[in-house]
Amino acid sequence: MFLDKLTKLLNDAFRPKPKYITVTPVTGSGPAQALPSANEPPANLPAHVAIIMDGNGRWATSRGLPRSAGHAAGTEALRDIIRASDDWGIEALSLYAFSTENWSRSKEEVQALMGLLLKYFNSEIDELDEKHVKITILGDVDGMPEPQRTALIDAMERTKDNTGLKLNIALNYGGRAELTRAARLLAEQVKAGELEPEDIDEELFGEQLYTAGSPDVDLLIRTSGELRTSNFLPWQLVYAEMVFDDCYWPDFDRAHYLKCLRTYAARDRRFGGVKASAPEAKPEAEAETEPAIKPETEPATDRNNEEAEP
Ligand code: FPP
């Protein structure tokens, strides 16, 4: 009897433990999840991911469907990529949903996109708010039709104090228009005597942009194989790593997203500086006698470092 008990105790103690890795979202509010490692994002995540969701039309056409079907499928992809960003603790996600140039598309297509937009906000706003997602619209909201304008303003107002994922959706957006607007806002402050021209620096300029409060973009993803930035976040992308995925946007899922994040994680970012491990760096023994590594030999992490790439 005693021997039986002892055997059971020993068996229990030495039974191999199931291998689960617990991923606790950093800013995401979802519950901690047990995920197999293949579904785990890399440790050094980008703080700010921007995505040009391209290829909805071609996805639909290749299936003999109307372009609007591609946008509907694209909205489903977008829904899950937003959830994944929240689950994985991405700080900011900026999505290019409708540019100032997109108004030139057919009336049917623009209407379909506006309908999907409204449907998305009506169906998702409760969940996004519960997850503490802060919604910001990048672009000229006043130029949006009713009732989309009201829905967008309500969503921003309702979530403005949220501290979770910063979800930036570019609508009626143009990068040059954003920069022009920022210059105008500063000029107005100078004209009103609230600001001296010499007070204008990069930080103050950045504060006039729609993305004020979000860090610079670390990773830009574009789907559908196109290799352009298309007037998207020209100021914010200056040091972004770019990853291009050939798939059409409706096919972009968590597996594709993880691949992009891993590609990003493997990149060597120098921000115009040099790595401490580069040949110019001091030998270890000499470095030890130094009180501190001088800033010039540190790997650059300062996004404002203006030095040109070697
Ligand atoms: C680009 O594909 C995609 C767009 C212009 C619209 C993106 C919109 C969504 C994903 C859904 C609606 C957004 C929200 C926020 C609910 P394309 O039409 O240019 O594709 P193509 O290059 O193959 O023609």
Side-chain angles (χ1 to χ4, degrees), residues 26-189:
V26 181
T27 58
S29 53
Q33 295 175 18
L35 293 172
S37 60
N39 295 335
E40 199 190 343
N44 57 331
L45 282 172
H48 188 167
V49 178
I51 308 183
I52 302 179
M53 309 178 288
D54 199 7
N56 290 351
R58 278 165 284 167
W59 182 91
T61 309
S62 68
R63 286 165 174 74
L65 297 169
R67 292 177 60 83
S68 57
H71 296 312
T75 306
E76 292 312 308
L78 162 147
R79 213 185 290 275
D80 197 42
I81 292 307
I82 293 171
R83 287 199 181 118
S85 303
D86 180 53
D87 290 347
W88 296 337
I90 300 283
E91 181 183 334
L93 175 69
S94 293
L95 300 168
Y96 205 2
F98 196 88
S99 73
T100 43
E101 290 75 31
N102 288 150
W103 295 112
S104 66
R105 296 189 175 202
S106 75
K107 200 174 153 208
E108 294 73 40
E109 187 171 346
V110 171
Q111 269 177 359
L113 278 164
M114 292 300 139
L116 284 167
L117 184 65
L118 200 59
K119 214 167 130 194
Y120 175 79
F121 273 91
N122 288 338
S123 65
E124 298 295 294
I125 188 66
D126 288 342
E127 180 185 329
L128 292 171
D129 193 24
E130 268 162 35
K131 288 182 166 174
H132 313 292
V133 173
K134 179 185 163 102
I135 298 167
T136 302
I137 303 303
L138 315 179
D140 181 12
V141 178
D142 292 338
M144 294 293 285
E146 278 292 347
Q148 284 77 9
R149 181 173 55 228
T150 305
L152 298 174
I153 292 171
D154 286 352
M156 280 198 282
E157 184 57 29
R158 175 167 166 184
T159 63
K160 70 178 192 314
D161 297 323
N162 284 353
T163 53
L165 171 71
K166 296 180 177 94
L167 175 61
N168 304 323
I169 304 184
L171 289 162
N172 197 18
Y173 174 87
R176 285 185 174 178
E178 181 185 30
L179 297 180
T180 311
R181 174 180 173 272
R184 196 181 307 120
L185 290 172
L186 288 170
E188 279 163 7
Q189 291 172 54

